[in-house]
Amino acid sequence: MTTTLDTGTQRPADAGTSRRGSHALRWWVLAVLGIAQLMVVLDATIVNIALPAAQADLGFGDGDRQWVITGYALAFGSLLLLGGRLSDLFGRRNTFIIGLIGFAAASAIGGAASSFEMLVAARVGQGVFGALLAPAALSLLTVTFTEPKERAKAFGIFGAVAGAGGAIGLLLGGALTEWASWRWAMYVNLIFAAVALVGAVLLLAKHTATTRPKLDWPGTVAVTAALFGIVYGFSHAESHGWSDPTTLAFLIGGAVLLAVFVWIETRVAHPLLPLRIVADRTRGGSYLTVFTMGIGMFAIFLFLTFYMQLTLEYTPIVTGLAFLPMVAGMVASSTTAPSLLLPRFGPKIVISVGFLVAASGMIWLTRIGLDTGYVTHILPALILLGLGLGAAMSVAFQGATAGVHHEDAGVASAMVNTSQQVGGSIGTALLSTIAASAMTDYVSSHQPGPLTMAQGAIESYTISFWWGAAAFVLGAIVIAVIMPNTVPAPAEGEPVLAH
């Protein structure tokens, strides 16, 4: 009796017994992938809460503080496409395991950091190995679940983890910083990585190469440099302005290199990113969805955190707890939209409506003031945001890898994370600049004093929420125009379960 388990076909002699075993193992694989994805996603926000304590402990200045965040974003954002293609070439299991071990090692170094330089180096290391880990996790999910009902449920759960990870990071960061030490915001990754590593070793099949891997080195260098330039340019704009020569040089240089990359991909025999992946309207619309969410969600996590901590004077852990209704909304919609709404209404309708629901939540937040209540002004908005974004994200995750060949699943998955990372970088720079200008305009046109400064901060938050709402509305319109309303076809499956 054959014991090999395949995600796409049923081959054993005892079909009923093996089907039950294969089904059970697939859901354990989902648990392992979800833990790894949660670790990568929450690490983008968990350090934000712990940063003031780390700054006081290591003694670095406010001007250097941004590099703890930017170092991770630069490495992660610029290397994602390479990480995705490496998982296609050398095996998703191998790449996943290497990413887990490397991420854990970098986290351990960061937790033990005795200097600012050591902490930043660790954060860069996390970004490097995260760029291996994240695409491998999503591509493993893509080729593991190919049956429509199972696929919808699996992507819904994975989308919920990905969407809620940022809010969970805020809660976990607050709890660890308040009850233990900022260093545990780094050390906690060792626990996540250890659990995921044991699961990966036990459950995932070893890679067997049938062809000699070939890598598109010109395209790799061009797109890595392009993404680095774009992410750094937007990060630099946040602190130095849009007219700064360095900002302009990196943004223009990144855009030129991105055009060069597209030109290269049309001419090489083994492209890093085959343009057929992004040219498909379902996949292209899905990447655009994740990109738009990256822009808008920044306004939620950053400015709403500022409002709750600085204006309402919530503690870090209370701030994290305040985001839980949004997490609940994301989980509810992410686990129901792909299986219930997507087959009935199609991706165009689900994503567009999801964006509009999220926009209504963002508009609700524009009503905040100096003494408004959580239950009346924040809670309803967070529930609407969670419901809308959870539905859009889970459907976009499924559409982003729709119909890809299994040899392209890694790089198609990497495009999801790349879209989110670049969108977040743009959101960070653009909305921070708009918020700063709004506060300056308000303060300059009113009588100086503490009340004016406090009200100016409120003005900066609300204008950011308006822009975030506009991004979601625009996203809904664009998706309604470009995305076909057919249920995404699954990717090709391949054996990924150990036997």
Side-chain angles (χ1 to χ4, degrees):
M1 174 175 156
T2 305
T3 57
T4 300
L5 299 176
D6 187 280
T7 60
T9 57
Q10 189 68 38
R11 293 184 291 189
D14 186 354
T17 302
S18 182
R19 187 180 294 113
R20 288 192 296 272
S22 174
H23 177 84
L25 284 179
R26 281 204 291 275
W27 295 109
W28 280 108
V29 168
L30 173 62
V32 170
L33 301 179
I35 290 170
Q37 178 70 11
L38 178 62
M39 180 179 70
V40 173
V41 173
L42 68 80
D43 226 67
T45 57
I46 192 172
V47 175
N48 292 14
I49 296 290
L51 195 53
Q55 183 179 2
D57 189 13
L58 299 180
F60 53 89
D62 290 346
D64 295 327
R65 186 170 56 189
Q66 65 164 332
W67 285 106
V68 179
I69 307 298
T70 305
Y72 179 84
L74 285 174
F76 186 61
S78 60
L79 294 173
L80 273 165
L81 286 179
L82 174 60
R85 182 50 90 192
L86 289 176
S87 73
D88 289 330
L89 297 178
F90 298 105
R92 298 177 186 90
R93 179 184 187 270
N94 296 339
T95 309
F96 185 75
I97 289 175
I98 291 171
L100 279 173
I101 294 172
F103 200 97
S107 299
I109 293 171
S114 58
S115 66
F116 167 71
E117 291 78 13
M118 187 174 175
L119 179 59
V120 172
R123 290 286 288 167
V124 171
Q126 285 182 318
V128 170
F129 288 103
L132 289 177
L133 185 58
L138 182 54
S139 60
L140 281 165
L141 181 74
T142 297
V143 298
T144 301
F145 292 90
T146 56
E147 296 178 9
K149 289 185 178 180
E150 285 190 356
R151 178 179 172 85
K153 186 175 180 180
F155 271 86
I157 294 171
F158 195 81
V161 171
I168 294 172
L170 293 173
L171 173 60
L172 192 57
L176 292 172
T177 303
E178 194 166 321
W179 293 339
S181 163
W182 69 267
R183 297 182 182 277
W184 275 97
M186 305 289 283
Y187 285 143
V188 71
N189 292 322
L190 297 172
I191 301 172
F192 288 115
V195 174
L197 181 60
V198 171
V201 171
L202 293 177
L203 295 173
L204 299 179
K206 293 183 179 179
H207 175 67
T208 53
T210 56
T211 58
R212 183 179 179 84
K214 295 181 179 179
L215 191 60
D216 168 23
W217 285 111
T220 298
V221 172
V223 76
T224 300
L227 292 173
F228 182 94
I230 291 169
V231 173
Y232 181 80
F234 279 108
S235 299
H236 197 267
E238 181 187 0
S239 56
H240 292 79
W242 296 97
S243 60
D244 180 80
T246 303
T247 299
L248 294 173
F250 274 93
L251 288 177
I252 295 172
V256 170
L257 285 171
L258 202 57
V260 170
F261 169 69
V262 173
W263 179 81
I264 291 173
E265 298 309 274
T266 62
R267 284 160 175 77
V268 295
H270 303 280
L272 176 70
L273 176 65
L275 296 183
R276 62 179 178 271
I277 292 176
V278 294
D280 179 86
R281 288 171 60 197
T282 296
R283 292 193 292 266
S286 298
Y287 299 141
L288 185 60
T289 298
V290 178
F291 172 81
T292 305
M293 291 178 65
I295 295 176
M297 287 182 71
F298 168 78
I300 306 167
F301 289 131
L302 185 72
F303 294 110
L304 193 53
T305 298
F306 284 168
Y307 173 67
M308 288 191 284
Q309 288 193 345
L310 300 179
T311 302
L312 302 182
E313 298 183 344
Y314 290 180
T315 64
I317 189 165
V318 171
T319 301
L321 288 170
F323 277 102
L324 284 184
M326 179 179 172
V327 175
M330 278 189 166
V331 172
S333 60
S334 293
T335 52
T336 55
S339 57
L340 297 180
L341 302 180
L342 181 60
R344 179 174 297 182
F345 300 106
K348 174 190 293 190
I349 302 299
V350 176
I351 292 176
S352 296
V353 172
F355 269 148
L356 293 177
V357 171
S360 68
M362 199 74 88
I363 292 171
W364 195 302
L365 285 176
T366 63
R367 300 167 60 244
I368 61 171
L370 290 175
D371 57 356
T372 47
Y374 174 80
V375 173
T376 55
H377 288 73
I378 300 176
L379 178 60
L382 288 177
I383 293 173
L384 288 170
L385 284 161
L387 291 173
L389 294 179
M393 176 171 281
S394 58
V395 172
F397 269 42
Q398 186 167 337
T401 54
V404 296
H405 300 292
H406 67 80
E407 65 268 17
D408 290 333
V411 73
S413 302
M415 272 299 296
V416 177
N417 294 281
T418 302
S419 300
Q420 187 175 34
Q421 190 65 36
V422 174
S425 297
I426 292 174
T428 301
L430 187 61
L431 296 179
S432 292
T433 304
I434 291 170
S437 298
M439 183 167 183
T440 300
D441 292 343
Y442 184 89
V443 171
S444 64
S445 61
H446 291 76
Q447 188 71 26
L451 183 61
T452 296
M453 294 299 294
Q455 191 60 52
I458 298 294
E459 192 74 15
S460 71
Y461 304 152
T462 55
I463 195 69
S464 299
F465 296 144
W466 277 116
W467 278 87
F472 289 149
V473 171
L474 181 60
I477 294 171
V478 173
I479 291 301
V481 171
I482 69 169
M483 180 173 272
N485 206 34
T486 53
V487 177
E492 290 185 0
E494 64 172 358
V496 297
L497 301 176
H499 57 275

